[in-house]
Amino acid sequence: MDDVFAIEGGHVLTPEFDVIEANVLVDREAGEVIEVGPDVTAEETLDATDSLVMPGLVNAHTHVAMTLLRGYADDKPLDAWLQEDIWPVEAELTPEDIRVGTELGLVEFIKNGITGFADSYFEVGEIAAATEQSGLRANLCHAFISVGKDNEGARADAQEGLDIAREFDGAADGRITTALMPHSLTTVETEYLEEFIPQAREAGVPLHFHANETQNEVDPLVDDHGVRPLEYADDLGMLTDQDFLAHCVHVDETEIELLAETGASVIHCPASNMKLASGIAPIQEMLDTGVNVGLGTDGAASNNDLDLFDEIRDAAMIGKLARGDARDVAAESAVRMATEGSAEAIGLPVGQIEAGGTADIAVVDFDAPHLTPVHDFVSHLAYAVRGSDVRHTVCDGEILMADGEVQTLDEAAVKQRASEAAEALVDRAE
Ligand SMILES: CSC[C@H]1O[C@@H](n2cnc3c(O)ncnc32)[C@H](O)[C@@H]1O
Ligand SMILES: [Zn+2]
């Protein structure tokens, strides 16, 4: 196998968001783009005729193994959905279920041009092993909860989160990094945050947590602590430029300013927020105030797919509805959120195609009726492209999908095993 290959014959989305006719020369070993230019070539090529070569998308908040619960419980608000359906069935999950559910989600990511993701779930060893095999890049963590547990159980769960963050950081040749995840500001009590956040800081581990997702979560916290949730989080040292907060739907002006001041990122999950009727996040206000915003699908049980192009479109659409202003969350902003915004949020060194940059790339085929004519490539990326338009996916210089064929996982076998595991799981839970 050659050390280099060229993605040839297409257009390239530059860091400035210009679209140029160029080839991209990739160094497999270094996992880097060597050169972007009209004449660069190599013996081995990936054809990009009629296609746009763009940075791989980064899904900055997901629970990838929840593919097994896709379509299991719909049409309920967050609390009822979790308590009546999701948590009871998750109690029956085995490590093997999590492995196969993760593999299914990773196949879906690769097919949709996603090259990096941030995951929070359980059995992180299984998720890390599947991630290593897939060739993708990820930030992983074990989510811990204290409510409903005795002190010993709560501390053990949080300790597991910290141990896992230490164990898997740098795994898969550095493609895996880690975070500490207190599930949310209401499902982990103050004493455990006070004990474990400083330990994460000492270990240099960033925080990833659900925040201000529903009004039902915000109200009791304000009642109990007398401050807004993100002020409470800041008092506990939970907002730094390493940290990323999923959802942030119900945030006020003070909280948006706090996010901008501390440099903590927000991961916007518009499909999940709509499906669970959680609310509309004030994304344009965040962008205007200088908050870094990334995009996430959340789990497949609240989406119900893992196509980040849907999130780009949803973010742009609902962003306009939020203030009744069609200029808000414009196409370029939404695409930047799914690439460099997400990458910055979760600490991945990706998000732009340039010489010397990481070779995390999606090649999108524009030769389709729903993408004709092409007045503006970026407009199509935001409003018309679907994940199924992705033709090739490259991560860290490795070709993970060529002409729609996933190279690192066996798609047919993964689908079969996942269907069987999901059926057995639901039988056990009922
Ligand atoms: C953080 S993984 C652990 C836990 O979180 C649950 N979960 C899935 N989606 C959401 C969401 O939108 N808000 C809060 N919690 C969520 C998941 O089912 C796991 O139990
Ligand atoms: Zn979530």
Side-chain angles (χ1 to χ4, degrees):
M1 202 192 297
D2 280 350
D3 283 349
V4 297
F5 63 90
I7 306 175
E8 277 195 6
H11 289 78
V12 176
L13 182 66
T14 71
E16 296 75 32
F17 265 57
D18 294 323
V19 174
I20 57 171
E21 278 183 48
N23 301 337
V24 178
L25 189 64
V26 174
D27 181 335
R28 255 200 186 93
E29 198 54 39
E32 282 180 8
V33 169
I34 302 170
E35 200 178 335
V36 179
D39 301 320
V40 296
T41 189
E43 222 165 85
E44 187 184 342
T45 58
L46 276 179
D47 180 40
T49 309
D50 295 324
S51 303
L52 180 70
V53 182
M54 67 176 293
L57 302 182
V58 178
N59 186 356
H61 177 75
T62 190
H63 315 287
V64 65
M66 290 185 83
T67 50
L68 291 195
L69 302 177
R70 191 198 316 270
Y72 175 71
D74 300 313
D75 309 326
K76 288 187 175 185
L78 179 68
D79 288 348
W81 177 74
L82 284 173
Q83 285 166 29
E84 294 166 15
D85 302 295
I86 298 299
W87 283 341
V89 72
E90 281 181 338
E92 299 296 328
L93 280 168
T94 64
E96 180 55 23
D97 290 334
I98 289 177
R99 174 67 186 251
V100 81
T102 301
E103 288 180 8
L104 179 63
L106 300 187
V107 166
E108 200 177 344
F109 284 172
I110 293 170
K111 295 200 80 153
N112 289 329
I114 293 170
T115 54
F117 65 101
D119 194 80
S120 48
Y121 214 54
F122 319 109
E123 302 293 348
V124 175
E126 301 295 336
I127 299 167
T131 302
E132 176 154 26
Q133 191 187 345
S134 73
L136 289 165
R137 232 183 255 285
N139 178 282
L140 304 180
C141 60
H142 164 90
F144 67 93
I145 291 179
S146 71
V147 291
K149 293 183 178 138
D150 61 18
N151 180 45
E152 199 185 335
R155 292 194 66 253
D157 200 13
Q159 188 61 51
E160 189 175 349
L162 205 52
D163 292 346
I164 279 172
R166 290 193 178 111
E167 181 180 347
F168 290 99
D169 191 33
D173 294 326
R175 283 184 286 108
I176 294 178
T177 56
T178 55
L180 182 73
M181 180 182 246
H183 172 263
S184 76
L185 298 173
T186 50
T187 49
V188 178
E189 289 141 309
T190 316
E191 62 185 289
Y192 304 104
L193 297 173
E194 282 172 344
E195 180 175 353
F196 286 92
I197 303 307
Q199 294 187 54
R201 295 290 171 230
E202 239 165 75
V205 173
L207 301 180
H208 176 187
F209 55 101
H210 294 97
N212 299 40
E213 183 173 358
T214 64
Q215 197 62 51
N216 284 347
E217 174 190 343
V218 170
D219 291 342
L221 198 145
V222 172
D223 288 347
D224 289 353
H225 299 279
V227 289
R228 295 288 304 173
L230 297 192
E231 292 176 311
Y232 166 75
D234 190 40
D235 290 344
L236 288 163
M238 294 176 73
L239 301 183
T240 74
D241 61 4
Q242 310 274 293
D243 305 324
F244 47 107
L245 286 62
H247 300 287
C248 290
V249 174
H250 301 277
V251 286
D252 72 7
E253 223 172 275
T254 320
E255 290 174 296
I256 294 176
E257 271 160 25
L258 205 44
L259 288 164
E261 273 164 29
T262 57
S265 293
V266 168
I267 311 304
H268 182 34
C269 302
S272 175
N273 294 342
M274 287 193 278
K275 185 162 187 269
L276 299 169
S278 300
I280 304 178
I283 296 302
Q284 189 60 52
E285 285 93 326
M286 292 183 197
L287 295 174
D288 290 344
T289 314
V291 178
N292 179 55
V293 181
L295 283 185
T297 57
D298 215 345
S302 61
N303 189 300
N304 285 3
D305 63 26
L306 302 176
D307 179 353
L308 206 67
F309 283 104
D310 280 353
E311 266 56 40
I312 296 175
R313 187 170 192 266
D314 289 346
M317 297 290 194
I318 202 170
K320 298 170 195 323
L321 209 52
R323 299 196 300 194
D325 190 336
R327 292 166 298 191
D328 283 359
V329 193
E332 181 175 328
S333 290
V335 177
R336 282 190 188 272
M337 280 186 229
T339 51
E340 59 199 39
S342 284
E344 186 184 331
I346 72 172
L348 300 188
V350 302
Q352 298 185 332
I353 296 182
E354 57 191 342
T358 41
D360 287 28
I361 295 168
V363 181
V364 181
D365 186 358
F366 274 65
D367 183 18
H370 65 278
L371 301 176
T372 304
V374 187
H375 293 298
D376 179 343
F377 281 95
V378 175
S379 164
H380 278 1
L381 289 178
Y383 297 115
V385 165
R386 304 166 188 151
S388 53
D389 297 317
V390 175
R391 196 173 163 194
H392 314 302
T393 303
V394 173
C395 181
D396 201 24
E398 187 187 359
I399 301 170
L400 307 187
M401 179 173 76
D403 281 314
E405 292 290 321
V406 177
Q407 308 290 303
T408 47
L409 292 160
D410 179 342
E411 182 180 345
V414 166
K415 278 197 302 186
Q416 174 73 24
R417 287 209 313 276
S419 297
E420 288 166 7
E423 200 180 323
L425 169 67
V426 169
D427 281 353
R428 287 198 301 280
E430 281 170 354

